[in-house]
Amino acid sequence: MKKHLPAVLTGIGLLILWQIIAMCINAAYILPSPTQITVKIWELRDPLFTVHTPATMLVTLIGLLISVVLGVGLAVVMERFEGVERALYPVIVTTQTIPVTAIAPLFVLWLGYGIWSKVLVAVLITFFPITISVHDGLKSAKRENEELLRTMGMSSTAIFFKLKFPAALPSFFSAIKMAIPLSILGAAMGEWLGAQSGLGYFSKRMMTQLDGAGVFAPVVVLAVCAMLVVAVISAIERKLITWRKEI
Amino acid sequence: MSFVEFNNVTFGYKEDDYLLLEDLSFSAERNDIITVIGASGCGKSTLFRLMTCLETEYKGSITINGKTPKEATGTAAFMPQKDLLMPWRSILKNVTLPLEALPMSKSVRISQAKEALEKVGLSGCENKRPSELSGGMRQRVSFARTLVQLWHGRELMLLDEPFSALDSLTRISMQDWLIGQVKGLNATVMMVTHDVEEAMLVGNKIFLLSGRPVKQIKVIDVSHINCREDLYTPSSVELKNELVSAFLTEKAEMGDNI
Ligand SMILES: Nc1ncnc2c1ncn2[C@@H]1O[C@H](COP(=O)(O)OP(=O)(O)OP(=O)(O)O)[C@@H](O)[C@H]1O
Ligand SMILES: [Mg+2]
């Protein structure tokens, strides 16, 4: 706990600064103060926590799940078949430069205002980084290690599970931790474009009412959700990965 | 027929446009303990890669116990230069690793790995992680991992500079330790080293690789050198000087580009 103390103090300091500035400006529709936001969250607790947070988290988790399955699958295939790697890897890297944000409205056109247009945004934002990290992780297993296993008479499948898979685990976890906030972002962005529920939709509605604190409230809830999920994943990571990163 | 035979073997890596071995023939008898020396980059490790079937595009014939390297997969137990222990596995699990490629029960694997660790003086370290061990200890684990393979029909042990990463004092103690280990193995051993004294001490024969590409191997009998004191007899000192100067001449001939 002690090593987190400076960070916690900095955080508190920033909040106090924010509070002071907001009180000076004194216009909640431009910059609401942290206390106003807290009060707002409390006032809106019912719709926020029973309707909108579950809606957004559902999209986030479905998106993440699809990305992990597709991303890990593609990474494994690319690692296994060099031809696939050479055909796809450069394409994947290039598509990362496409601003998903800009083409997201298309998905609403195609898939409608339901949950799947949002899921698609979340998947597109997280799929590529997961694929690339896991692929790099699989590749990080050194050739000499692989050759040693080969001299032991191991099959390619055995080499994958005994060497490449564990070697890729640390990258897999960093990829997931990086993808969680991205996935939430994707979900919220999808909701912004049009939805009937969700925190993104909620903050947009508050904006049309010029309710500053109401815009911030769902943002704070999103951030807390992201931190909670990352904390859970980190705990699993610490349980599973007990070795120093050295391979 | 000798246990290991190279007949007119010619080999060069595809990536390189020069040959490493040209028309090379040599043989090793069963239960020989051979140390292999030669200038850096002359192809010592490559000999092992050919024997373990990691390189297959050679001309000529290689046989191990009468079989081609491909048929002989499972004949050679290879100990690489670096320990290559898996950081996510305990010491015990690192030693059971090669046994996992063989059909046997988990309990047998574990008991054999324990036995091997005991042989290398590391019982009690079973549940430690590689990162908790010193370089010398890790090298011994790596040796144990090679050793268990000899208990399952592998008759050839290939050691590629097993001690080159160690400091000189650890290395001296490991050499003395290895001599004891290797003598009772009942296996054919080939060990690459770049240390002339180590070559004389551990081996019964020295294979001296020279020339580029390597066309022949000079075999030097050193079976009379068995312990460190033997290194200081006049004839040993003379042999050592000869080997060292052979190295230096070669280096000069190569124009110092090695
Ligand atoms: N896997 C490989 N692929 C391509 N070239 C290689 C490979 N391994 C070695 N070589 C090249 O072949 C040559 C001989 O390498 P090798 O490892 O057999 O030498 P060595 O005698 O073991 O040297 P050292 O004493 O430095 O270990 C080197 O020039 C090296 O660059
Ligand atoms: Mg070498």
Side-chain angles (χ1 to χ4, degrees):
Chain A
M1 214 59 248
K2 223 178 193 150
K3 74 173 189 223
H4 296 307
L5 196 63
V8 171
L9 289 179
T10 310
I12 293 175
L14 285 175
L15 279 177
I16 292 174
L17 189 68
W18 180 359
Q19 181 78 29
I20 293 170
I21 294 175
M23 281 159 78
C24 292
I25 295 176
N26 194 20
Y29 59 92
I30 297 175
L31 185 67
S33 68
T35 47
Q36 286 169 322
I37 297 170
T38 315
V39 169
K40 199 73 178 182
I41 293 177
W42 181 250
E43 282 171 13
L44 295 172
R45 63 188 180 281
D46 205 34
L48 267 183
F49 293 112
T50 59
V51 181
H52 301 292
T53 306
T56 304
M57 289 321 283
L58 186 69
V59 171
T60 301
L61 294 180
I62 293 178
L64 207 54
L65 201 70
I66 294 177
S67 285
V68 167
V69 171
L70 287 182
V72 172
L74 186 61
V76 169
V77 171
M78 284 202 301
E79 201 280 329
R80 203 66 193 269
F81 304 101
E82 211 183 319
V84 180
E85 178 184 350
R86 261 181 292 161
L88 286 185
Y89 194 88
V91 178
I92 291 177
V93 173
T94 318
T95 51
Q96 283 210 285
T97 57
I98 296 175
V100 177
T101 338
I103 54 170
L106 270 181
F107 307 146
V108 180
L109 263 181
W110 295 338
L111 297 171
Y113 287 102
I115 173 174
W116 295 107
S117 55
K118 284 102 210 160
V119 170
L120 186 60
V121 179
V123 168
L124 282 185
I125 291 187
T126 52
F127 168 68
F128 301 122
I130 291 180
T131 311
I132 305 266
S133 316
V134 173
H135 178 261
D136 292 350
L138 290 171
K139 284 260 157 174
S140 74
K142 295 201 192 84
R143 192 168 100 189
E144 42 195 9
N145 267 302
E146 188 179 339
E147 287 177 345
L148 177 65
L149 293 189
R150 193 96 53 75
T151 69
M152 291 174 184
M154 301 252 178
S155 65
S156 301
T157 314
I159 291 176
F160 179 83
F161 284 109
K162 289 182 199 302
L163 173 67
K164 292 181 180 162
F165 178 76
L169 266 188
S171 330
F172 173 73
F173 275 103
S174 4
I176 295 277
K177 285 194 288 187
M178 182 181 59
I180 289 165
L182 284 180
S183 184
I184 292 183
L185 179 76
M189 209 159 66
E191 289 162 358
W192 249 75
L193 294 169
Q196 287 98 38
S197 62
L199 293 170
Y201 155 81
F202 190 80
S203 95
K204 192 183 174 192
R205 202 179 71 190
M206 290 296 135
M207 198 158 77
T208 57
Q209 299 170 8
L210 287 183
D211 184 346
V215 174
F216 267 95
V219 175
V220 171
V221 175
L222 280 178
V224 172
C225 285
M227 285 191 268
L228 284 178
V229 182
V230 170
V232 170
I233 299 288
S234 299
I236 300 175
E237 180 184 17
R238 272 195 302 277
K239 266 234 131 58
L240 279 179
I241 299 179
T242 47
W243 64 91
R244 289 186 299 135
K245 262 195 186 178
E246 57 179 60
I247 202 161
Chain B
M1 191 183 233
S2 305
F3 189 66
V4 177
E5 277 193 19
F6 273 55
N7 285 313
N8 312 100
V9 173
T10 299
F11 177 79
Y13 286 99
K14 270 207 282 294
E15 295 89 333
D16 306 333
D17 47 11
Y18 52 88
L19 291 176
L20 274 179
L21 315 174
E22 189 178 351
D23 208 21
L24 178 71
S25 300
F26 70 86
S27 59
E29 302 306 322
R30 189 177 282 275
N31 292 356
D32 262 352
I33 297 171
I34 291 161
T35 43
V36 182
I37 56 176
S40 174
C42 72
K44 303 180 295 293
S45 303
T46 304
L47 286 182
F48 285 6
R49 294 179 64 82
L50 286 165
M51 285 190 257
T52 50
C53 206
L54 291 173
E55 302 297 339
T56 49
E57 310 265 296
Y58 58 88
K59 291 202 198 77
S61 88
I62 301 175
T63 57
I64 299 164
N65 203 8
K67 291 182 269 184
T68 67
K70 190 154 197 169
E71 295 161 350
T73 327
T75 309
F78 173 58
M79 176 174 171
Q81 181 168 344
K82 288 185 228 151
D83 56 65
L84 300 184
L85 299 179
M86 294 181 167
W88 52 82
R89 284 180 173 239
S90 66
I91 295 305
L92 184 71
K93 285 284 186 174
N94 265 290
V95 180
T96 59
L97 182 68
L99 302 178
E100 289 167 22
L102 303 169
M104 63 171 76
S105 75
K106 196 175 171 190
S107 58
V108 175
R109 279 206 289 268
I110 289 177
S111 73
Q112 294 197 342
K114 279 189 173 150
E115 197 182 328
L117 281 173
E118 202 181 308
K119 271 216 155 51
V120 301
L122 285 177
S123 32
C125 292
E126 283 95 347
N127 295 320
K128 291 204 172 123
R129 295 277 176 166
S131 55
E132 296 172 69
L133 265 53
S134 70
M137 289 160 100
R138 292 170 62 116
Q139 219 61 30
R140 262 147 57 191
V141 176
S142 173
F143 186 82
R145 184 181 57 192
T146 320
L147 193 60
V148 288
Q149 300 177 57
L150 291 184
W151 300 342
H152 294 275
R154 304 211 168 195
E155 300 163 286
L156 174 63
M157 191 181 230
L158 302 175
L159 311 170
D160 193 354
E161 306 198 32
F163 308 133
S164 63
L166 302 180
D167 63 88
S168 65
L169 284 179
T170 317
R171 195 149 121 196
I172 286 173
S173 77
M174 291 290 287
Q175 285 163 358
D176 291 341
W177 172 85
L178 184 73
I179 295 169
Q181 293 280 324
V182 151
K183 291 269 144 77
L185 273 183
N186 196 26
T188 313
V189 178
M190 287 182 81
M191 175 174 107
V192 170
T193 171
H194 56 226
D195 180 328
V196 173
E197 284 192 5
E198 184 172 295
M200 295 164 65
L201 194 57
V202 178
N204 294 337
K205 289 179 190 163
I206 295 179
F207 279 11
L208 174 64
L209 274 63
S210 59
R212 210 165 268 218
V214 179
K215 290 180 183 156
Q216 57 184 5
I217 284 179
K218 189 173 172 198
V219 182
I220 301 153
D221 183 24
V222 284
S223 52
H224 55 285
I225 303 172
N226 290 312
C227 61
R228 209 159 278 281
E229 284 78 54
D230 296 340
L231 284 174
Y232 305 113
T233 62
S235 66
S236 300
V237 172
E238 195 180 327
L239 175 61
K240 185 182 159 187
N241 289 336
E242 256 172 55
L243 289 171
V244 170
S245 65
F247 264 120
L248 292 177
T249 354
E250 170 144 345
K251 208 169 169 199
E253 278 166 13
M254 290 290 142
D256 273 23
N257 55 1
I258 19 179

